[in-house]
Every structure is written in C-alpha cells, then in structure tokens.
Amino acid sequence: MQQNNGEKPMEKEDIYILAVESSCDETAASVVRNGREVLSNIIYSQIDLHTLYGGVVPEIASRKHIEKVNQVIEKALSDAGITLEEVTAVAVTYGPGLVGALLVGVSAAKAIAFAADKPLVGVHHIEGHISANFIENMDLEPPFICLVVSGGHSHLVVVKDYGEYEIIGRTRDDAAGEAFDKVARAIGLGYPGGPKIDKVSKEGNPDAIVFPRAKVDGSTYDFSFSGLKSAVLNYLNSCEMKGIEVNQADVAASFQKAVIDVLVGHSMEAVSQYHLNKFAIAGGVASNTSLRAAFEKACRDKGLEFYHPSPVYCTDNAAMIGVAGYYEYCKGTRHGWDLNAVPNLKLGERI
C-alpha cells in the first residue's frame, strides 16, 4: 500500500466542452463542464422565418447558420465565463441532419479547434438527444431504455452504456414529429405542428374519433404512422364531401391519442421484455405535455423510474451535444480536420 506522506490527493481536472449544433434550423452553442453541468446554452431559432414557408427550407437554414454561428459561440463562451484557451475540447454535430446546415457547424468547429489547438469531437445528433437526460438527472446511469421522438426520428433504444446503443424499434415510414406536422397542416394549424396540436388538443375530446393504431408484422417495437396520417386525411375529405363541419380540436386530440397509445404501448412492452427499471424519453416530441403525462402514469403503474429532459433540452440545442461530446472525449474519440457532414448517419455508427 502506498503512503501519501501527508500530501493531498490530486483533484481531477475539470473538462470543459464547447459544443456546436446546427443540424436543422437552430444555431446553437454551449459550454458543458464534466458532462453534467451546463454553463451556457445559446440557441438562435429560425422557426419564425420557416413558418412563412410551412416548414424548414434547407437553403435558408444554411444561410442563417452562417450568419449566426460565430455569434452564438462567442455568447456561449461569454455566458460560461471562460475563454477559448480554457476549453478542453470542441464537440460538434456531424450527422444526421440537413447536409448544408451540418456543414456550417462542422466547418466552424473545425476552424476553432484548429486555431485554438483543441481536440475535435464529432457527435451523433440522436446520441445528443438521448444524452440530454443526463443534464438534470444526476442519478441516471445506463443501462436504460430511451424513446427518441422528433420530426425526423422515432427510435426505441436500449442504452447499454455511455455511447453504446442497441436500436430495437424504429419507424418504417413517417416519424412521429413528421406526422404531427402533416396533420397540423391538414387541419389548418400550420407549422410547427407538434406544439400547436399539443395546445389545441386540450380543448378537444381524444375519444371523439377512432383512428388506427398500426402494428408492424414481425417487428414488435417498430412504428408506422403513415397509415394514421392517411386515416386523418380520409376523415377530413369525408367530412368535406358530406358537408360535415370538422371539429379541429377533436381531430387533433384523437390523432394525438392514437400516436401516444402506440408510443407508450411499444415502450412499455420493451421495458418488460428487457427487464430494465429505468425509462427515458428524448427529442422534440418528448416536450408534448400529453405524452409526458401518459408516460408518467404508465411508468408509475409499472414501478419504473421515468426520466425526461426539460423542454429546452428536448428541442435541438448544443448542451446535449456537449454532454454526449464529454463522454465521447473521455472514451478517447478524436476526429481529424477531414471530418465531414454525414446527413444520413445511423445511430451507433462512428466515422
């Protein structure tokens, strides 16, 4: 046994990750300390701009990222109270997402890391969403099951360890958030669909209209929302042909209930099958109030620990990228100056 001769043990040096996120229509930067403490979280949202077009226009998103990326990075460092020299590493989303938007963030992060002589760590966007759960839940450790639901993704994932994932369910067609956007547009709510359906459905009857709950043959945990979307459109067309007035709130509430029933049902089956007592949600749709309430009840009934990020960490942000980047950095992940955007990067893939 070694003696320390009265010397104090060496304290672990803090790790500061400067993170950049630009995968879609939010330009974001953050500083995260030791993987769990967010020192700054700056988000410039383009939502008002894209609302004019009924959805995200990739070329416009890219141009706005170019205008704002340096500003949000400077603000993130300023709010965190640290200089670039004090940063340990630079993390950046390199996929999946819109290729032009991703390239802006990747280029900025590479330039900063090169100029400041800091390690560069590429981060998977979906891994970032999952990692958002670590920010406010200090007791959360893998393994657990996480449902990732956003505009482009619907994944049911076993989080085996930090950075180690097994996808057990995914959408076969429309993602949940995509279905929300399309149905919202169809019933006249406009873009963005998720928050608007969440709001108006509180005034409607979720049992007014029975919409289908799809199951995928041979794939217990896979999702399919295309048929549900079509059922809503058929209902609206039928009402128009028959001269029946459509109750917007009832349609929204009934559609939302159908989506939630499927998401909760598949998730609870997975938790039972894999014998895990911790369940988490992530992604933009995870901020839906009715979805959260449904999962809170389902987890309570099963005696499960339920975890979810605050709404600001559900939608795209750089704090979640900083958390994921911290664990990648600690594992030894380093990227070179040839790091490129990978718009179709699959969960668990490494470049």
Side-chain angles (χ1 to χ4, degrees):
M1 179 183 294
Q2 289 186 329
Q3 295 181 346
N4 65 12
N5 299 320
E7 296 179 3
K8 292 182 180 180
M10 289 184 62
E11 293 184 4
K12 184 180 177 182
E13 188 174 341
D14 287 333
I15 294 174
Y16 294 90
I17 303 293
L18 170 64
V20 180
E21 154 64 26
S22 67
S23 63
C24 191
D25 61 338
E26 274 88 20
T27 317
S30 175
V31 176
V32 176
R33 178 164 56 197
N34 299 331
R36 299 269 179 159
E37 185 182 357
V38 177
L39 301 183
S40 62
N41 188 35
I42 309 303
I43 303 170
Y44 172 77
S45 176
Q46 305 174 17
I47 195 165
D48 290 343
L49 179 60
H50 295 286
T51 297
L52 299 172
Y53 303 95
V56 177
V57 181
E59 293 81 3
I60 293 175
S62 300
R63 286 199 293 270
K64 275 296 173 184
H65 285 312
I66 293 171
E67 290 178 20
K68 297 295 181 180
V69 66
N70 287 335
Q71 296 175 26
V72 299
I73 291 171
E74 289 174 5
K75 178 68 170 167
L77 288 169
S78 174
D79 282 10
I82 68 169
T83 64
L84 188 55
E85 288 71 27
E86 295 173 282
V87 167
T88 308
V90 180
V92 62
T93 304
Y94 70 104
L98 302 174
V99 63
L102 288 165
L103 280 169
V104 176
V106 169
S107 299
K110 286 197 294 186
I112 290 171
F114 179 79
D117 193 25
K118 302 293 181 181
L120 177 69
V121 180
V123 173
H124 193 293
H125 181 72
I126 302 305
E127 293 185 16
H129 274 303
I130 294 170
S131 299
N133 281 284
F134 296 130
I135 295 172
E136 299 160 302
N137 302 302
M138 297 299 178
D139 62 322
L140 178 60
E141 301 278 353
F144 59 91
I145 286 182
C146 184
L147 173 70
V148 183
V149 274
S150 65
H153 306 276
S154 293
H155 287 78
L156 198 51
V157 181
V158 179
V159 183
K160 295 182 173 182
D161 202 347
Y162 295 107
E164 185 179 344
Y165 310 93
E166 178 188 354
I167 301 175
I168 59 175
R170 69 184 79 212
T171 184
R172 293 296 187 92
D173 38 61
D174 291 354
E178 186 180 0
F180 269 93
D181 283 340
K182 290 178 177 177
V183 168
R185 190 178 299 118
I187 61 177
L189 290 176
Y191 177 86
K196 293 189 175 184
I197 284 183
D198 187 17
K199 181 178 180 180
V200 77
S201 66
K202 298 183 190 308
E203 303 166 11
N205 176 8
D207 299 311
I209 310 154
V210 180
F211 290 126
R213 277 79 164 153
K215 283 189 172 290
V216 180
D217 287 343
S219 301
T220 306
Y221 306 124
D222 279 356
F223 306 102
S224 173
F225 296 110
S226 180
L228 171 59
K229 175 199 67 181
S230 297
V232 175
L233 296 178
N234 290 338
Y235 172 82
L236 296 174
N237 289 334
S238 176
C239 288
E240 184 179 359
M241 291 171 61
K242 297 175 182 177
I244 299 172
E245 184 179 355
V246 172
N247 186 313
Q248 188 185 62
D250 283 352
V251 175
S254 299
F255 159 77
Q256 181 174 266
K257 186 173 189 292
V259 174
I260 290 173
D261 284 352
V262 171
L263 293 175
V264 173
H266 286 25
S267 299
M268 292 302 102
E269 282 187 55
V271 169
S272 297
Q273 179 69 32
Y274 283 82
H275 305 292
L276 293 171
N277 64 353
K278 290 179 285 188
F279 177 79
I281 56 175
V285 182
S287 60
N288 181 284
T289 56
S290 296
L291 180 67
R292 285 175 180 250
F295 270 119
E296 283 173 358
K297 182 180 185 305
C299 289
R300 186 169 59 249
D301 290 347
K302 279 184 167 289
L304 307 174
E305 292 290 333
F306 175 50
Y307 299 91
H308 54 82
S310 292
V312 69
Y313 298 127
C314 288
T315 51
D316 289 350
N317 65 90
M320 69 183 193
I321 303 303
V323 175
Y326 166 82
Y327 289 108
E328 287 296 310
Y329 174 83
C330 291
K331 282 167 36 181
T333 299
R334 304 290 186 272
H335 284 92
W337 309 127
D338 59 346
L339 178 67
N340 204 352
V342 185
N344 296 314
L345 187 66
K346 293 181 174 60
L347 183 64
E349 280 187 345
R350 293 290 187 273
I351 301 299

